[in-house]
């Protein structure tokens, strides 16, 4: 199976990997400009979401997922998707909590859909 054929078979995983890289780059470029975690009292401990470490973590997770697709490693793909789902689920929850506490944004709904795509990629594209 050539790389192009493999990419077609794993297109949802490839899409969520690219999206994670794009999100991570956006967060890295805008680091400190938008700070959701300081808007609501009580969430100051969530500084991790606005750090360069978090941005690089999601970029590396996306790259790891692409690597697993190219190398045909279902084990690495599974772990990358689980890590990605955990990371973006936590991010979605923080955005949703902020929405309920008076910081209006639509991002939580978009990330909810993104998490569904990650789940579907894990469910239907990773075969043991």
């Amino acid at each position: 199976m050539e790389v192009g054929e493999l990419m077609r078979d794993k297109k949802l995983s490839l899409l969520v990997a690219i999206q994670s890289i794009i999100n991570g780059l956006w967060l890295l470029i805008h680091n400190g400009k938008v700070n959701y975690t300081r808007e609501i009292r009580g969430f100051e401990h969530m500084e991790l979401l606005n750090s360069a470490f978090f941005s690089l973590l999601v970029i590396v997770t996306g790259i790891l997922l692409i690597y697993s697709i190219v190398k045909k490693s279902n084990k690495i793909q599974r772990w990358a998707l689980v890590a990605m789902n955990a990371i973006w689920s936590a991010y979605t929850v923080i955005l949703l909590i902020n929405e309920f506490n008076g910081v209006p944004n639509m991002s939580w709904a978009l990330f909810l859909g993104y998490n569904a795509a990650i789940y579907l990629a894990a469910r239907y594209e990773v075969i043991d």
Side-chain angles (χ1 to χ4, degrees):
M1 186 182 301
E2 66 180 50
V3 173
E5 186 179 333
L6 185 62
M7 292 298 182
R8 281 190 298 276
D9 291 342
K10 306 279 187 162
K11 59 185 167 250
L12 193 54
S13 291
L14 184 61
L15 175 68
V16 298
I18 292 169
Q19 186 65 39
S20 189
I21 293 168
I22 290 169
N23 289 339
L25 288 171
W26 187 91
L27 289 168
L28 192 61
I29 291 167
H30 296 288
N31 187 18
K33 294 178 187 171
V34 176
N35 193 342
Y36 292 114
T37 59
R38 288 190 184 168
E39 293 291 329
I40 303 299
R41 283 174 285 147
F43 287 93
E44 292 83 13
H45 64 283
M46 298 302 291
E47 281 296 316
L48 174 67
L49 296 179
N50 291 313
S51 67
F53 172 78
F54 180 80
S55 302
L56 293 173
L57 177 67
V58 298
I59 292 168
V60 168
T61 305
I63 291 170
L64 182 63
L65 183 53
I66 292 172
Y67 172 81
S68 72
I69 293 168
V70 171
K71 292 298 183 179
K72 303 177 191 170
S73 174
N74 283 335
K75 186 176 183 177
I76 295 172
Q77 184 183 9
R78 183 181 312 113
W79 281 106
L81 285 166
V82 166
M84 195 175 285
N85 201 4
I87 290 166
W88 292 118
S89 290
Y91 198 81
T92 303
V93 167
I94 295 301
L95 291 173
L96 191 57
I97 289 169
N98 284 345
E99 176 74 27
F100 288 140
N101 284 299
V103 181
N105 68 74
M106 188 179 135
S107 300
W108 66 268
L110 299 172
F111 277 102
L112 193 61
Y114 181 49
N115 282 314
I118 294 169
Y119 169 78
L120 292 172
R123 176 73 173 94
Y124 295 108
E125 293 184 357
V126 180
I127 300 169
D128 289 323

